[in-house]
Amino acid sequence: MSAAPAAPSRIAVVGASAAGLSVVEGLRREGYTGSLTLIGEEAHLPYDRPPLSKQLLSGTWDTDRLRLRGKDDIAALGLELRLGSPAVALDTRTREITVADGSLVGYDALVVATGTRARRLPGTESVRGVHVLRTLEDAVALREGLATRPRLVVVGGGFVGAEAAAVACGLGCEVTLVTDTAQPMGDALGDELGALLRTVHHEHGVRIDSGVLVDEVLTDGGRASGVRLADGRTLAADAVLVGIGARPNTEWLTGSGVPVGNGVECDATLYAGSGVWAAGDVACWLNARTGEPWRIEHRTNAAEQGLAVARNILAGPERATPFDPVPYVWSDQYDLKIQIYGRTRGADEVRVVEGSTAGRKLVALYGRNGRTCAAVGINMARALRGYRAQVAAAAPLLTGSAA
């Protein structure tokens, strides 16, 4: 057996959110003592994003509680920390990153963890009263906007839209959710569980317009006054939240030779070539089990990928191991805790195997070509965990309890 390659002496991580933090912590935990530079566009220390549309938006948490680590914990990592100035270009031949302040950062190994940014409706960037929800500043601005109890139209019925609608409703706002799917979170949950979620939203006073796109945001004096739907109807609003997904932050890699498509395109070990690795929302890697490219925008994935990249950098590309997770994500809406193991998209069959939609406590298995690809639990966290192994093994779709 050949000796393990020497670890790179200089490692740079671009992106100071959950994935980037996980990389640098993973490297130190594995005993890496070389130079570590962490570059972040935002001026904040790494913070958690899932609470933005839940606890922070509702006012249950303040901003300090979002921090993933305290100042002392960050200092103990021995980083060159460069926050508040994004990377703007990359030269993989000289192995240098250009930062927005004009400085250059050299590296032997680079991790791209630049995440995603919220998609916006065209022409709404400077319209007052139109919000997106991706950053801390986005969430604070929306929270301040909701304090006046506006008529709110939420464009998009995914995780962000559905969670924000629930919070806004709880704050006393008049809320209409517009989604192009048949049911809220229909892409993730399917029609049956999406219909359950729709009912719950209705019971709390949220109006839902489904199966229709928003053509444009209407304005009056430079401020949002409503939306026009593709079927010609208009909805009046004092505020609009646009939650229509996110785009990978890859523009700064233009001309670098790093393969970019739906994110940074990596092999099964998260290696993109030329000393470049990727982790988190921006990483599009070849899933060794399914043979498909995956890109996942979930908090748990970001942390797990960061640790995997740290191990693989130290092992070197020749000894790196595939990243093969069971994805996990959750959503809290009203008194529902919705948890998902695996990937529901692409499923061709859904079976409720424990509980019921009527009882609003259930476990449902999602199948693709007769194999289990995901398990969804609503208010049944303990029972759901029993199905994780079935998802990991892509086992034949069962009809009964895994207990």
Side-chain angles (χ1 to χ4, degrees), residues 36-385:
L36 259 180
T37 302
L38 182 62
I39 302 169
E41 178 176 7
E42 296 182 66
H44 311 291
L45 289 175
Y47 63 89
D48 215 3
R49 295 186 192 276
L52 295 179
S53 57
K54 308 179 185 76
Q55 293 92 340
L56 189 78
L57 192 60
S58 68
T60 307
W61 288 13
D62 60 24
T63 56
D64 287 343
R65 194 167 171 182
L66 297 178
R67 284 185 184 172
L68 290 169
R69 301 292 182 271
K71 291 181 179 178
D72 292 345
D73 297 318
I74 296 295
L77 293 170
L79 308 174
E80 180 185 351
L81 192 58
R82 304 184 59 144
L83 300 179
S85 189
V88 295
L90 175 67
D91 189 331
T92 52
R93 295 167 301 174
T94 61
R95 299 206 171 192
E96 288 181 323
I97 303 155
T98 302
V99 183
D101 61 10
S103 61
L104 300 176
V105 176
Y107 67 89
D108 300 310
L110 165 66
V111 181
V112 178
T114 41
T116 59
R117 63 185 183 281
R119 291 181 62 208
R120 297 174 182 269
L121 290 171
T124 63
E125 288 80 359
S126 59
V127 177
R128 287 178 284 124
V130 177
H131 300 267
V132 293
L133 188 46
R134 172 65 185 166
T135 67
L136 175 56
E137 284 76 13
D138 294 337
V140 170
L142 179 59
R143 186 174 69 182
E144 291 173 354
L146 297 184
T148 61
R149 298 183 180 178
R151 293 169 297 172
L152 175 70
V153 168
V154 178
V155 183
F159 283 87
V160 167
E163 290 174 357
V167 170
C169 180
L171 294 174
C173 303
E174 180 183 319
V175 182
T176 301
L177 187 149
V178 182
T179 175
D180 62 345
T181 57
Q183 305 293 350
M185 290 184 62
D187 284 351
L189 298 179
D191 283 344
E192 184 176 3
L193 271 59
L196 165 61
L197 188 60
R198 182 192 195 104
T199 299
V200 175
H201 274 281
H202 274 158
E203 289 174 352
H204 285 80
V206 175
R207 174 184 170 185
I208 296 177
D209 274 306
S210 57
V212 64
L213 290 166
V214 169
D215 262 357
E216 63 174 327
V217 172
L218 305 174
T219 61
D220 183 1
R223 183 172 186 84
S225 60
V227 300
R228 186 188 309 282
L229 305 181
D231 60 14
R233 290 179 295 143
T234 60
L235 303 176
D238 307 303
V240 176
L241 170 63
V242 179
I244 54 174
R247 299 182 189 280
N249 291 318
T250 57
E251 288 78 3
W252 68 286
L253 299 171
T254 300
S256 69
V258 173
V260 170
N262 180 25
V264 175
E265 296 180 342
C266 309
D267 67 13
T269 71
L270 302 166
Y271 188 55
S274 303
V276 178
W277 305 75
D281 294 4
V282 77
C284 181
W285 83 103
L286 186 65
N287 186 283
R289 184 159 36 89
T290 67
E292 301 171 338
W294 281 16
R295 190 175 67 79
I296 295 177
E297 298 176 4
H298 298 323
R299 170 69 175 78
T300 305
N301 180 73
E304 292 178 348
Q305 258 182 359
L307 293 175
V309 165
R311 289 192 296 269
N312 281 344
I313 289 176
L314 298 179
E318 300 299 322
R319 293 169 175 261
T321 56
F323 178 67
D324 186 19
V326 175
Y328 171 74
V329 65
W330 76 96
S331 179
D332 297 321
Q333 296 172 45
Y334 312 108
D335 59 350
L336 301 183
K337 177 169 282 297
I338 304 166
Q339 298 169 290
I340 304 174
Y341 286 114
R343 301 198 81 189
T344 54
R345 288 180 172 81
D348 53 30
E349 189 173 3
V350 181
R351 297 179 184 175
V352 175
V353 293
E354 294 195 44
S356 67
T357 53
R360 299 182 181 180
K361 292 179 63 176
L362 60 89
V363 174
L365 296 181
Y366 289 61
R368 185 177 180 186
N369 299 323
R371 298 280 175 176
T372 307
C373 61
V376 174
I378 296 180
N379 292 342
M380 289 192 74
R382 184 173 181 178
L384 179 67
R385 284 194 293 271

